[in-house]
Protein backbone atom coordinates (compact mmCIF):
# COMPACT_ATOMS: atom_id res chain seq x y z
CA UNK A 1 0.00 0.00 0.00
CA UNK A 2 1.36 3.38 -0.88
CA UNK A 3 0.24 6.65 0.49
CA UNK A 4 -1.27 9.28 -1.68
CA UNK A 5 1.00 11.70 -3.41
CA UNK A 6 0.33 15.27 -4.32
CA UNK A 7 1.81 18.70 -4.23
CA UNK A 8 0.03 20.81 -1.60
CA UNK A 9 0.33 24.43 -0.62
CA UNK A 10 2.69 25.27 2.23
CA UNK A 11 1.00 24.66 5.59
CA UNK A 12 2.80 27.73 6.97
CA UNK A 13 1.12 30.33 4.73
CA UNK A 14 -2.04 30.95 6.73
CA UNK A 15 -4.54 33.71 7.58
CA UNK A 16 -4.25 35.58 10.88
CA UNK A 17 -7.04 33.62 12.60
CA UNK A 18 -5.25 30.32 11.96
CA UNK A 19 -2.02 31.63 13.46
CA UNK A 20 -3.90 32.91 16.51
CA UNK A 21 -5.40 29.47 17.15
CA UNK A 22 -2.08 27.74 16.40
CA UNK A 23 -0.36 30.03 18.91
CA UNK A 24 -2.98 29.12 21.50
CA UNK A 25 -2.38 25.44 20.68
CA UNK A 26 1.37 25.84 21.29
CA UNK A 27 0.69 27.31 24.70
CA UNK A 28 -1.92 24.67 25.49
CA UNK A 29 0.49 21.86 24.63
CA UNK A 30 3.18 23.56 26.69
CA UNK A 31 0.94 22.81 29.66
CA UNK A 32 1.70 19.10 29.25
CA UNK A 33 5.44 19.46 29.60
CA UNK A 34 5.40 22.35 32.08
CA UNK A 35 4.22 20.02 34.85
CA UNK A 36 6.31 16.95 34.06
CA UNK A 37 9.69 18.18 35.44
CA UNK A 38 8.16 18.96 38.86
CA UNK A 39 6.60 15.54 39.55
CA UNK A 40 9.37 14.32 41.91
CA UNK A 41 9.55 17.72 43.63
CA UNK A 42 5.78 17.76 44.00
CA UNK A 43 5.82 14.33 45.64
CA UNK A 44 8.55 15.40 48.06
CA UNK A 45 7.08 18.81 48.94
CA UNK A 46 3.55 17.52 49.57
CA UNK A 47 4.68 14.20 51.12
CA UNK A 48 2.86 12.23 48.43
CA UNK A 49 3.72 8.93 46.80
CA UNK A 50 4.28 8.67 43.04
CA UNK A 51 0.94 6.88 42.74
CA UNK A 52 -0.81 9.84 44.41
CA UNK A 53 0.98 12.30 42.13
CA UNK A 54 -0.05 10.20 39.11
CA UNK A 55 -3.65 11.17 39.82
CA UNK A 56 -2.77 14.59 38.38
CA UNK A 57 -2.71 12.87 34.99
CA UNK A 58 -5.65 10.55 35.67
CA UNK A 59 -8.15 13.18 36.83
CA UNK A 60 -7.13 15.52 34.00
CA UNK A 61 -7.34 12.94 31.23
CA UNK A 62 -10.45 11.08 32.35
CA UNK A 63 -12.42 14.32 32.59
CA UNK A 64 -11.02 15.31 29.18
CA UNK A 65 -12.16 11.95 27.76
CA UNK A 66 -15.72 12.19 29.06
CA UNK A 67 -16.00 15.85 28.05
CA UNK A 68 -15.03 14.90 24.49
CA UNK A 69 -18.46 13.30 24.13
CA UNK A 70 -20.31 16.58 24.72
CA UNK A 71 -17.97 19.13 23.14
CA UNK A 72 -19.61 18.73 19.72
CA UNK A 73 -23.06 19.29 21.21
CA UNK A 74 -21.79 22.34 23.15
CA UNK A 75 -19.84 23.87 20.28
CA UNK A 76 -22.61 23.44 17.72
CA UNK A 77 -24.87 25.51 19.99
CA UNK A 78 -22.49 28.20 21.22
CA UNK A 79 -20.11 28.50 18.26
CA UNK A 80 -16.42 27.70 17.81
CA UNK A 81 -14.96 30.99 19.04
CA UNK A 82 -17.05 31.06 22.19
CA UNK A 83 -16.11 27.43 22.90
CA UNK A 84 -12.42 28.24 22.48
CA UNK A 85 -12.71 31.24 24.79
CA UNK A 86 -14.60 29.31 27.48
CA UNK A 87 -12.11 26.46 27.32
CA UNK A 88 -9.14 28.79 27.67
CA UNK A 89 -10.77 30.68 30.54
CA UNK A 90 -11.47 27.44 32.42
CA UNK A 91 -7.84 26.37 32.04
CA UNK A 92 -6.59 29.75 33.32
CA UNK A 93 -8.78 29.56 36.43
CA UNK A 94 -8.05 25.96 37.36
CA UNK A 95 -4.30 26.15 36.63
CA UNK A 96 -4.08 29.15 38.96
CA UNK A 97 -6.12 27.35 41.63
CA UNK A 98 -3.78 24.34 41.37
CA UNK A 99 -0.83 26.64 41.97
CA UNK A 100 -2.53 28.04 45.08
CA UNK A 101 -3.40 24.63 46.49
CA UNK A 102 -1.59 23.21 49.49
CA UNK A 103 -2.49 19.53 49.14
CA UNK A 104 -2.13 16.82 46.54
CA UNK A 105 -5.88 16.11 46.66
CA UNK A 106 -6.62 19.77 45.95
CA UNK A 107 -4.32 19.80 42.92
CA UNK A 108 -5.86 16.56 41.62
CA UNK A 109 -9.32 18.13 41.86
CA UNK A 110 -8.27 21.33 40.13
CA UNK A 111 -6.59 19.30 37.39
CA UNK A 112 -9.99 17.70 36.73
CA UNK A 113 -11.46 21.15 36.06
CA UNK A 114 -8.44 21.89 33.92
CA UNK A 115 -9.27 18.78 31.88
CA UNK A 116 -12.73 20.14 31.09
CA UNK A 117 -11.22 23.33 29.71
CA UNK A 118 -8.68 21.28 27.78
CA UNK A 119 -11.42 19.26 26.08
CA UNK A 120 -13.35 22.38 25.06
CA UNK A 121 -10.25 24.06 23.63
CA UNK A 122 -8.36 21.16 22.03
CA UNK A 123 -11.41 19.56 20.44
CA UNK A 124 -12.46 22.84 18.83
CA UNK A 125 -9.07 24.23 17.85
CA UNK A 126 -8.32 21.76 15.07
CA UNK A 127 -11.81 22.21 13.65
CA UNK A 128 -11.05 25.92 13.31
CA UNK A 129 -7.66 25.22 11.73
CA UNK A 130 -9.05 22.61 9.31
CA UNK A 131 -11.89 24.91 8.23
CA UNK A 132 -9.76 28.06 7.90
CA UNK A 133 -6.29 26.86 6.84
CA UNK A 134 -4.92 26.87 3.32
CA UNK A 135 -3.25 23.71 2.06
CA UNK A 136 -6.13 21.30 2.69
CA UNK A 137 -6.60 18.71 5.41
CA UNK A 138 -3.01 17.44 5.23
CA UNK A 139 -1.63 20.96 5.59
CA UNK A 140 -3.86 21.61 8.59
CA UNK A 141 -2.67 18.42 10.29
CA UNK A 142 0.98 19.35 9.73
CA UNK A 143 0.39 22.83 11.15
CA UNK A 144 -1.42 21.37 14.14
CA UNK A 145 1.31 18.81 14.79
CA UNK A 146 3.92 21.57 14.49
CA UNK A 147 2.13 23.46 17.25
CA UNK A 148 1.95 20.29 19.31
CA UNK A 149 5.63 19.52 18.87
CA UNK A 150 6.75 23.08 19.57
CA UNK A 151 4.63 23.24 22.70
CA UNK A 152 5.85 19.88 23.97
CA UNK A 153 9.48 20.87 23.28
CA UNK A 154 9.38 24.28 24.96
CA UNK A 155 7.08 23.32 27.83
CA UNK A 156 9.53 21.15 29.80
CA UNK A 157 12.29 23.72 29.48
CA UNK A 158 10.11 26.47 30.90
CA UNK A 159 8.64 24.06 33.45
CA UNK A 160 12.11 23.09 34.61
CA UNK A 161 13.13 26.72 35.07
CA UNK A 162 9.96 27.62 36.93
CA UNK A 163 10.02 24.36 38.89
CA UNK A 164 13.55 25.09 40.09
CA UNK A 165 12.07 28.13 41.87
CA UNK A 166 8.98 26.40 43.26
CA UNK A 167 6.72 23.49 42.34
CA UNK A 168 3.93 26.09 42.12
CA UNK A 169 5.73 27.94 39.33
CA UNK A 170 4.65 25.76 36.39
CA UNK A 171 0.99 25.94 37.40
CA UNK A 172 1.08 29.73 37.53
CA UNK A 173 3.10 29.67 34.30
CA UNK A 174 0.31 27.78 32.53
CA UNK A 175 -2.27 30.24 33.86
CA UNK A 176 -0.33 33.24 32.53
CA UNK A 177 0.39 31.67 29.14
CA UNK A 178 -3.19 30.54 28.62
CA UNK A 179 -4.38 34.04 29.54
CA UNK A 180 -2.17 35.36 26.73
CA UNK A 181 -3.69 32.77 24.37
CA UNK A 182 -7.16 33.85 25.49
CA UNK A 183 -6.42 37.47 24.58
CA UNK A 184 -5.01 36.42 21.19
CA UNK A 185 -8.11 34.34 20.46
CA UNK A 186 -10.44 37.20 21.36
CA UNK A 187 -8.43 39.63 19.24
CA UNK A 188 -7.71 37.64 16.09
CA UNK A 189 -10.20 34.79 15.69
CA UNK A 190 -13.41 35.99 14.01
CA UNK A 191 -16.87 34.70 14.77
CA UNK A 192 -17.28 31.60 12.64
CA UNK A 193 -20.47 30.11 11.19
CA UNK A 194 -22.25 27.46 13.18
CA UNK A 195 -23.28 24.21 11.50
CA UNK A 196 -26.69 24.14 9.87
CA UNK A 197 -27.41 21.00 11.86
CA UNK A 198 -26.58 20.66 15.54
CA UNK A 199 -24.52 17.72 16.76
CA UNK A 200 -26.29 15.15 18.91
CA UNK A 201 -24.72 14.37 22.33
CA UNK A 202 -24.86 10.64 21.53
CA UNK A 203 -23.37 10.95 18.02
CA UNK A 204 -19.79 10.04 19.10
CA UNK A 205 -20.95 6.86 20.85
CA UNK A 206 -23.07 5.87 17.85
CA UNK A 207 -20.07 6.46 15.59
CA UNK A 208 -18.08 3.81 17.50
CA UNK A 209 -20.34 1.17 15.96
CA UNK A 210 -18.23 1.57 12.83
CA UNK A 211 -15.49 -1.04 12.87
CA UNK A 212 -12.73 1.16 11.47
CA UNK A 213 -13.26 3.97 13.97
CA UNK A 214 -13.57 1.54 16.89
CA UNK A 215 -10.37 -0.22 15.81
CA UNK A 216 -8.42 3.04 15.67
CA UNK A 217 -9.88 4.10 19.01
CA UNK A 218 -8.84 0.89 20.78
CA UNK A 219 -5.40 1.10 19.17
CA UNK A 220 -5.08 4.66 20.46
CA UNK A 221 -6.23 3.60 23.94
CA UNK A 222 -3.39 1.06 24.08
CA UNK A 223 -0.88 3.53 22.64
CA UNK A 224 -1.82 6.22 25.15
CA UNK A 225 -1.61 3.71 27.98
CA UNK A 226 2.07 3.20 27.21
CA UNK A 227 2.69 6.86 26.43
CA UNK A 228 1.28 8.23 29.69
CA UNK A 229 2.93 5.49 31.71
CA UNK A 230 6.24 6.84 30.42
CA UNK A 231 5.28 10.48 30.83
CA UNK A 232 4.02 9.99 34.38
CA UNK A 233 6.71 7.65 35.75
CA UNK A 234 9.93 8.08 33.79
CA UNK A 235 10.96 11.21 35.77
CA UNK A 236 11.37 9.22 39.00
CA UNK A 237 14.14 6.76 38.04
CA UNK A 238 16.06 9.56 36.27
CA UNK A 239 16.85 11.11 39.69
CA UNK A 240 17.35 14.60 38.26
CA UNK A 241 16.52 18.11 39.42
CA UNK A 242 13.55 19.95 37.94
CA UNK A 243 15.88 21.96 35.69
CA UNK A 244 17.65 18.82 34.43
CA UNK A 245 14.35 17.04 33.84
CA UNK A 246 13.24 20.03 31.80
CA UNK A 247 16.27 19.69 29.54
CA UNK A 248 15.67 15.94 29.06
CA UNK A 249 12.03 16.39 28.09
CA UNK A 250 12.94 19.32 25.86
CA UNK A 251 15.21 17.00 23.88
CA UNK A 252 12.37 14.50 23.76
CA UNK A 253 9.93 17.17 22.60
CA UNK A 254 12.24 18.38 19.84
CA UNK A 255 12.30 14.86 18.40
CA UNK A 256 8.50 14.68 18.68
CA UNK A 257 8.24 17.92 16.68
CA UNK A 258 10.82 16.99 14.04
CA UNK A 259 9.46 13.51 13.35
CA UNK A 260 5.84 14.71 13.37
CA UNK A 261 6.41 17.35 10.73
CA UNK A 262 9.34 16.21 8.58
CA UNK A 263 9.69 12.44 8.80
CA UNK A 264 6.14 11.09 9.25
CA UNK A 265 4.82 12.42 5.89
CA UNK A 266 7.85 11.04 4.02
CA UNK A 267 7.57 7.62 5.62
CA UNK A 268 3.84 7.56 4.93
CA UNK A 269 4.38 8.52 1.27
CA UNK A 270 6.91 5.73 0.77
CA UNK A 271 5.45 2.84 2.79
CA UNK A 272 1.83 3.70 3.56
CA UNK A 273 0.12 4.50 6.86
CA UNK A 274 -0.44 1.04 8.33
CA UNK A 275 3.06 -0.46 7.72
CA UNK A 276 4.73 2.60 9.26
CA UNK A 277 2.44 2.40 12.29
CA UNK A 278 3.20 -1.32 12.77
CA UNK A 279 6.95 -0.67 12.80
CA UNK A 280 6.53 2.41 14.94
CA UNK A 281 4.49 0.68 17.63
CA UNK A 282 7.03 -2.15 17.74
CA UNK A 283 9.80 0.42 18.16
CA UNK A 284 7.94 2.02 21.06
CA UNK A 285 7.51 -1.38 22.67
CA UNK A 286 11.25 -2.00 22.46
CA UNK A 287 12.07 1.42 23.93
CA UNK A 288 9.69 0.87 26.84
CA UNK A 289 11.17 -2.56 27.50
CA UNK A 290 14.62 -0.95 27.61
CA UNK A 291 13.35 1.55 30.19
CA UNK A 292 11.90 -1.30 32.25
CA UNK A 293 15.09 -3.35 32.11
CA UNK A 294 17.31 -0.36 32.86
CA UNK A 295 15.07 1.32 35.42
CA UNK A 296 17.87 1.21 38.01
CA UNK A 297 20.28 3.04 35.66
CA UNK A 298 19.28 6.70 35.17
CA UNK A 299 21.36 7.12 31.99
CA UNK A 300 19.52 4.27 30.27
CA UNK A 301 16.14 5.76 31.15
CA UNK A 302 17.18 9.25 30.02
CA UNK A 303 18.45 8.10 26.63
CA UNK A 304 15.47 5.80 26.02
CA UNK A 305 12.95 8.53 26.85
CA UNK A 306 14.62 11.01 24.47
CA UNK A 307 14.75 8.41 21.68
CA UNK A 308 11.05 7.61 22.19
CA UNK A 309 10.25 11.14 20.99
CA UNK A 310 11.00 10.08 17.40
CA UNK A 311 8.47 7.24 17.51
CA UNK A 312 5.86 9.33 19.32
CA UNK A 313 6.17 12.11 16.73
CA UNK A 314 5.49 9.68 13.88
CA UNK A 315 2.62 8.06 15.73
CA UNK A 316 0.94 11.39 16.50
CA UNK A 317 0.75 12.50 12.89
CA UNK A 318 -0.20 9.19 11.29
CA UNK A 319 -2.88 8.19 13.80
CA UNK A 320 -4.46 11.64 13.52
CA UNK A 321 -4.80 11.14 9.78
CA UNK A 322 -5.68 7.43 9.95
CA UNK A 323 -8.70 7.91 12.18
CA UNK A 324 -10.13 10.37 9.66
CA UNK A 325 -9.35 8.04 6.77
CA UNK A 326 -11.32 5.10 8.12
CA UNK A 327 -14.30 6.95 9.55
CA UNK A 328 -17.53 7.17 7.52
CA UNK A 329 -18.82 10.01 9.71
CA UNK A 330 -17.85 13.66 9.60
CA UNK A 331 -14.57 14.63 11.22
CA UNK A 332 -15.90 16.38 14.34
CA UNK A 333 -17.92 13.34 15.40
CA UNK A 334 -15.13 10.90 14.55
CA UNK A 335 -12.68 13.06 16.46
CA UNK A 336 -14.82 13.15 19.59
CA UNK A 337 -15.38 9.38 19.58
CA UNK A 338 -11.70 8.69 19.00
CA UNK A 339 -10.63 11.24 21.62
CA UNK A 340 -12.91 9.64 24.20
CA UNK A 341 -11.23 6.24 23.85
CA UNK A 342 -7.65 7.47 23.65
CA UNK A 343 -7.89 9.77 26.66
CA UNK A 344 -9.51 7.02 28.72
CA UNK A 345 -6.36 4.97 28.13
CA UNK A 346 -4.15 7.90 29.07
CA UNK A 347 -6.16 8.56 32.22
CA UNK A 348 -6.21 4.99 33.54
CA UNK A 349 -2.55 4.20 32.83
CA UNK A 350 -0.87 6.44 35.45
CA UNK A 351 -3.25 5.24 38.17
CA UNK A 352 -2.70 1.56 37.38
CA UNK A 353 1.04 2.14 37.00
CA UNK A 354 1.13 3.70 40.46
CA UNK A 355 -0.64 0.77 42.05
CA UNK A 356 1.66 -1.70 40.27
CA UNK A 357 4.76 0.22 41.30
CA UNK A 358 3.63 0.34 44.93
CA UNK A 359 2.82 -3.39 44.98
CA UNK A 360 5.86 -4.62 43.02
CA UNK A 361 8.67 -2.42 41.70
CA UNK A 362 9.06 0.45 39.28
CA UNK A 363 9.96 -1.76 36.31
CA UNK A 364 6.56 -3.49 36.15
CA UNK A 365 4.53 -0.48 34.89
CA UNK A 366 7.05 0.00 32.09
CA UNK A 367 6.87 -3.65 31.06
CA UNK A 368 3.09 -3.33 30.96
CA UNK A 369 3.45 -0.17 28.86
CA UNK A 370 5.70 -2.05 26.44
CA UNK A 371 3.08 -4.80 26.19
CA UNK A 372 0.30 -2.33 25.37
CA UNK A 373 2.36 -0.82 22.54
CA UNK A 374 2.92 -4.28 21.05
CA UNK A 375 -0.71 -5.33 21.60
CA UNK A 376 -1.81 -2.30 19.58
CA UNK A 377 -0.24 -3.87 16.46
CA UNK A 378 -2.71 -6.79 16.04
CA UNK A 379 -5.57 -4.46 16.97
CA UNK A 380 -4.56 -2.09 14.16
CA UNK A 381 -4.09 -5.06 11.82
CA UNK A 382 -7.77 -5.90 12.37
CA UNK A 383 -8.63 -2.71 10.47
CA UNK A 384 -5.83 -2.93 7.90
CA UNK A 385 -8.14 -3.61 4.97
CA UNK A 386 -10.44 -0.71 5.86
CA UNK A 387 -7.50 1.66 6.23
CA UNK A 388 -5.95 0.52 2.94
CA UNK A 389 -9.24 0.96 1.08
CA UNK A 390 -9.84 4.39 2.59
CA UNK A 391 -6.30 5.52 1.81
CA UNK A 392 -6.62 4.38 -1.81
CA UNK A 393 -9.75 6.55 -2.18
CA UNK A 394 -8.00 9.75 -1.13
CA UNK A 395 -6.72 12.44 -3.40
CA UNK A 396 -3.63 14.45 -2.47
CA UNK A 397 -3.86 13.39 1.15
CA UNK A 398 -7.47 14.53 1.66
CA UNK A 399 -9.52 11.85 3.43
CA UNK A 400 -12.86 11.08 1.85
CA UNK A 401 -15.83 10.50 4.14
CA UNK A 402 -18.86 9.01 2.39
CA UNK A 403 -21.56 11.66 2.07
CA UNK A 404 -24.42 9.26 2.82
CA UNK A 405 -23.48 8.86 6.48
CA UNK A 406 -24.70 11.75 8.61
CA UNK A 407 -24.55 11.80 12.38
CA UNK A 408 -24.85 15.57 12.68
CA UNK A 409 -22.98 18.46 11.16
CA UNK A 410 -21.54 18.64 7.69
CA UNK A 411 -21.74 15.93 5.02
CA UNK A 412 -18.69 13.78 4.74
CA UNK A 413 -15.92 14.74 2.38
CA UNK A 414 -15.93 18.43 3.31
CA UNK A 415 -14.23 20.25 6.16
CA UNK A 416 -16.55 20.35 9.17
CA UNK A 417 -18.35 23.52 10.13
CA UNK A 418 -16.28 24.90 12.93
CA UNK A 419 -19.19 25.09 15.29
CA UNK A 420 -18.84 21.35 15.77
CA UNK A 421 -16.34 19.49 17.81
CA UNK A 422 -12.80 19.56 16.72
CA UNK A 423 -10.58 17.39 14.68
CA UNK A 424 -8.23 14.74 15.87
CA UNK A 425 -6.26 14.91 19.12
CA UNK A 426 -2.59 14.50 20.11
CA UNK A 427 -1.61 11.98 23.08
CA UNK A 428 -0.22 14.56 25.57
CA UNK A 429 -2.63 17.24 25.60
CA UNK A 430 -2.77 16.44 27.92
Amino acid sequence: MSAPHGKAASPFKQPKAVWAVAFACVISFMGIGLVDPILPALAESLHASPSQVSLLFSSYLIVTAVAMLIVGWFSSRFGAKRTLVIGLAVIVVFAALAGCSGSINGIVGFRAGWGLGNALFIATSLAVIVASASGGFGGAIILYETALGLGIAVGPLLGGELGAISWRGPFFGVAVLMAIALVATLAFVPELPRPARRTSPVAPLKALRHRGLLTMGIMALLYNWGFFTMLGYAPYPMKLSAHQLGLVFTGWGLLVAAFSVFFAPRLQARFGTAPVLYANLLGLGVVMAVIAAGVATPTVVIVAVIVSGAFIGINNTLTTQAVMLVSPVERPVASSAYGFLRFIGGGLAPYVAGKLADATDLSVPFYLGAATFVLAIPVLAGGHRLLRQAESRTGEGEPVAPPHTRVGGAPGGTPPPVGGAGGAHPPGAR
Side-chain angles (χ1 to χ4, degrees):
M1 176 178 65
S2 60
H5 295 270
K7 187 175 181 180
S10 170
F12 303 107
K13 294 180 179 179
Q14 303 294 347
K16 191 181 296 183
V18 172
W19 282 116
V21 176
F23 170 73
C25 286
V26 171
I27 296 175
S28 175
F29 297 136
M30 284 176 67
I32 300 172
L34 271 171
V35 178
D36 214 48
I38 63 166
L39 295 179
L42 197 60
E44 182 179 352
S45 298
L46 297 180
H47 308 290
S49 67
S51 61
Q52 290 175 304
V53 174
S54 73
L55 293 176
L56 268 72
F57 287 102
S58 295
S59 64
Y60 172 76
L61 291 166
I62 289 174
V63 170
T64 298
V66 175
M68 283 292 173
L69 298 176
I70 63 168
V71 169
W73 170 83
F74 184 93
S75 184
S76 66
R77 281 152 180 77
F78 294 96
K81 180 174 181 178
R82 188 174 298 179
T83 302
L84 287 174
V85 167
I86 292 172
L88 289 167
V90 169
I91 294 173
V92 170
V93 170
F94 281 97
L97 288 173
C100 294
S101 180
S103 70
I104 191 67
N105 290 333
I107 297 175
V108 169
F110 293 133
R111 281 280 284 180
W114 188 339
L116 174 61
N118 179 67
L120 291 170
F121 173 75
I122 293 297
T124 309
S125 60
L126 184 54
V128 174
I129 291 176
V130 167
S132 305
S134 60
F137 175 72
I141 293 296
I142 290 175
L143 181 63
Y144 190 74
E145 293 298 339
T146 302
L148 184 152
L150 183 60
I152 285 179
V154 175
L157 186 61
L158 183 58
E161 295 297 329
L162 294 174
I165 300 170
S166 168
W167 64 261
R168 300 178 190 273
F171 292 110
F172 290 128
V174 170
V176 171
L177 289 171
M178 294 308 277
I180 295 171
L182 175 58
V183 172
T185 300
L186 287 168
F188 298 113
V189 177
E191 291 292 343
L192 298 162
R194 300 179 190 181
R197 192 174 178 182
R198 293 180 176 179
T199 301
S200 166
V202 298
L205 293 177
K206 287 183 177 180
L208 289 174
R209 293 181 297 188
H210 181 261
R211 180 183 171 187
L213 185 57
L214 181 62
T215 297
M216 291 303 303
I218 295 174
M219 186 276 287
L221 186 154
L222 293 167
Y223 162 71
N224 275 269
W225 188 291
F227 172 71
F228 279 99
T229 295
M230 185 194 71
L231 202 63
Y233 273 84
Y236 296 102
M238 291 183 193
K239 299 178 180 178
L240 300 174
S241 68
H243 175 74
Q244 292 169 327
L245 279 170
L247 292 175
V248 169
F249 279 96
T250 296
W252 168 81
L254 288 172
L255 285 183
V256 171
F259 278 79
S260 291
V261 177
F262 300 111
F263 292 91
R266 288 173 172 80
L267 290 170
Q268 181 190 40
R270 182 166 183 178
F271 301 106
T273 302
V276 174
L277 285 175
Y278 296 147
N280 201 64
L281 289 165
L282 180 60
L284 280 168
V286 170
V287 169
M288 280 289 279
V290 169
I291 294 174
V295 75
T297 308
T299 302
V300 171
V301 179
I302 292 168
V303 173
V305 166
I306 293 174
V307 168
S308 74
F311 296 103
I312 289 168
I314 294 170
N315 214 82
N316 285 352
T317 296
L318 296 194
T319 54
T320 298
Q321 294 189 31
V323 69
M324 298 303 166
L325 283 169
V326 300
S327 176
V329 300
E330 52 276 0
R331 292 172 189 147
V333 175
S335 174
S336 294
Y338 171 71
F340 167 70
L341 287 178
R342 74 183 303 184
F343 283 124
I344 284 291
L348 293 177
Y351 175 77
V352 173
K355 294 299 182 183
L356 285 174
D358 290 344
T360 55
D361 63 73
L362 197 54
S363 68
V364 175
F366 293 112
Y367 279 123
L368 177 60
T372 61
F373 282 136
V374 175
L375 183 59
I377 297 173
V379 171
L380 179 61
H384 182 97
R385 181 177 57 83
L386 292 172
L387 181 57
R388 182 180 59 192
Q389 290 174 348
E391 196 171 27
S392 68
R393 290 197 302 267
T394 62
E396 297 191 4
E398 179 72 14
V400 175
H404 62 274
T405 305
R406 300 178 63 91
V407 183
T414 60
V418 293
H425 313 290
R430 313 72 286 5

